[in-house]
């Protein structure tokens, strides 16, 4: 017999909204564009034909409306896979848990979640000012140490190679994005996106502190499984892909490459690049 989810495990606010997102069932569309920066939410929703809802709590900003007749939501998560775990879990609960009984619904609804984010290239042939689809995501964080993630043989091979190459004290994880969504954006170049648990040391940056992994670019460049190579750094994609697989949702990450870590070049117009990516996503999603 399925037992109700305790109040301490699924936190619901007095007004009936879920704890962090501050949203109630029915306030979110089943297709969600996810962004890190709260200010980017309005930059996307300004293209909507109508906006029915605007909600903000902490870094989680939600706008729900319609674009070319299709209901869409844009939600910001802030940075890091820890926030992504909160976002994915609470978003799923809004659709797949009965808040009145606190019981999971018998027929879970599959959501479509597309990340629109910025990223840095780790390959000279992927220049700044380009767009990139994350075919696979490689998580250098430990989020999946707390879940049992099913992986293909290829994904496990990639994970083991990275653990060995970087001499990590934990097992990284690798997950492929949604095949359904990848097909919609097949014209974009793709690669393995490396998700890091920080912006500076974990991505090999040195300001006043010296990172332990001084050769992270060289070691990741050696990874090659069936022609797949690491392409870019960021901080969220692996969390989306892993949680999406566990919860049964279609997830895809699209990246605006604003910097090339090999050539040391930075985009001269990052906002224009992000606007270009937003246009591509709305065209394929709306």
């Amino acid at each position: 017999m399925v037992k109700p989810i305790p109040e301490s495990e699924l936190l619901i606010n007095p007004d009936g909204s879920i704890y962090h997102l501050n949203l109630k069932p029915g306030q979110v569309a089943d297709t969600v564009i996810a962004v890190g920066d709260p200010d980017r939410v309005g930059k996307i929703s300004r293209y909507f034909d109508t906006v029915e809802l605007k909600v903000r709590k902490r870094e989680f900003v939600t706008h729900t409306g319609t674009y070319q007749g299709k209901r869409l939501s844009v939600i910001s998560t802030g940075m890091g896979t820890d926030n992504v775990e909160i976002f994915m879990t609470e978003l799923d609960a809004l659709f797949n848990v009965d808040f009145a009984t606190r019981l999971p619904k018998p027929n879970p609804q599959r959501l479509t979640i597309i990340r629109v984010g910025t990223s840095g290239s780790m390959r000279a042939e992927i220049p700044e000012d380009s767009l990139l689809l994350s075919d696979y995501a490689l998580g250098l964080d430990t989020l999946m140490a707390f879940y049992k993630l099913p992986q293909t043989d290829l994904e496990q091979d990639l994970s083991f190679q990275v653990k060995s190459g970087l001499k990590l004290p934990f097992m990284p994880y690798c997950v492929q994005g949604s095949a359904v969504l990848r097909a919609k954006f097949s014209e974009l170049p793709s690669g393995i996106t490396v998700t890091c648990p920080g912006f500076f040391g974990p991505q090999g940056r040195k300001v006043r502190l010296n990172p332990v992994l001084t050769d992270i670019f060289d070691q990741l460049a050696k990874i090659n499984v069936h022609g797949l190579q690491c392409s870019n750094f960021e901080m969220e994609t692996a969390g989306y892909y892993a949680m999406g697989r566990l919860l049964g949702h279609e997830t895809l990450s699209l990246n605006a490459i604003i910097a090339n870590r090999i050539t040391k070049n930075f985009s001269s117009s990052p906002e224009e690049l992000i606007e270009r990516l937003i246009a591509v996503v709305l065209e394929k999603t709306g």
Side-chain angles (χ1 to χ4, degrees):
M1 179 179 178
V2 180
K3 296 182 179 180
I5 302 168
E7 293 181 4
S8 61
E9 311 304 292
L10 177 65
L11 283 67
I12 299 176
N13 298 315
D15 66 353
S17 63
I18 202 159
Y19 186 67
H20 293 93
L21 298 184
N22 204 34
L23 295 168
K24 300 175 184 178
Q27 292 184 327
V28 185
D30 60 10
T31 298
V32 177
I33 300 172
V35 298
D37 183 359
D39 290 337
R40 196 169 296 150
V41 173
K43 292 178 180 178
I44 297 177
S45 68
R46 65 192 172 100
Y47 293 106
F48 286 5
D49 304 316
T50 61
V51 175
E52 67 185 70
L53 174 80
K54 291 185 178 182
V55 172
R56 178 168 193 150
K57 185 177 181 182
R58 304 185 187 186
E59 59 268 69
F60 300 105
V61 177
T62 302
H63 290 182
T64 296
T66 57
Y67 177 78
Q68 294 185 350
K70 181 179 178 64
R71 193 169 185 248
L72 296 174
S73 291
V74 189
I75 305 178
S76 64
T77 65
M79 294 183 286
T81 58
D82 50 349
N83 276 11
V84 170
E85 191 237 13
I86 292 171
F87 164 73
M88 291 290 289
T89 302
E90 293 196 351
L91 179 65
D92 175 81
L94 287 168
F95 287 86
N96 294 319
V97 175
D98 185 321
F99 279 24
T101 64
R102 291 186 164 269
L103 292 172
K105 295 180 180 179
N107 299 305
Q109 183 172 349
R110 185 182 295 267
L111 307 178
T112 296
I113 303 160
I114 300 175
R115 172 191 176 270
V116 173
T118 57
S119 183
S121 168
M122 66 173 73
R123 310 196 74 86
E125 64 270 25
I126 303 175
E128 70 282 1
D129 292 322
S130 59
L131 303 180
L132 183 77
L133 181 155
S134 299
D135 188 3
Y136 287 82
L138 178 67
L140 297 187
D141 61 297
T142 57
L143 177 61
M144 284 302 113
F146 299 90
Y147 292 96
K148 189 173 182 179
L149 176 69
Q151 292 180 287
T152 65
D153 290 344
L154 185 150
E155 291 167 347
Q156 289 182 342
D157 193 3
L158 277 164
S159 300
F160 278 112
Q161 283 200 32
V162 172
K163 183 181 189 301
S164 176
L166 297 182
K167 297 181 174 60
L168 297 173
F170 60 91
M171 179 60 71
Y173 58 99
C174 181
V175 193
Q176 191 172 29
S178 162
V180 172
L181 295 178
R182 293 199 325 271
K184 288 188 175 185
F185 297 90
S186 59
E187 75 279 6
L188 294 179
S190 63
I192 301 175
T193 295
V194 180
T195 296
C196 299
F199 184 78
F200 292 98
Q203 296 186 32
R205 288 185 171 92
K206 175 183 176 181
V207 182
R208 290 186 62 235
L209 300 176
N210 293 318
V212 172
L213 299 176
T214 56
D215 60 347
I216 190 169
F217 292 112
D218 295 336
Q219 292 301 325
L220 289 174
K222 295 177 184 178
I223 304 299
N224 191 317
V225 178
H226 298 293
L228 296 170
Q229 294 181 305
C230 297
S231 54
N232 60 309
F233 280 123
E234 50 78 86
M235 294 174 60
E236 288 87 32
T237 295
Y240 280 110
Y241 285 11
M243 294 298 293
R245 176 172 293 178
L246 288 167
L247 292 166
H249 302 310
E250 306 287 353
T251 56
L252 189 70
S253 178
L254 301 173
N255 307 269
I257 303 297
I258 61 172
N260 188 295
R261 299 293 303 285
I262 305 303
T263 64
K264 309 296 185 184
N265 292 328
F266 190 82
S267 172
S268 59
S269 53
E271 290 302 321
E272 290 183 13
L273 179 64
I274 293 167
E275 285 293 328
R276 181 153 61 95
L277 179 55
I278 290 170
V280 170
V281 171
L282 287 176
E283 176 189 354
K284 301 291 185 178
T285 307

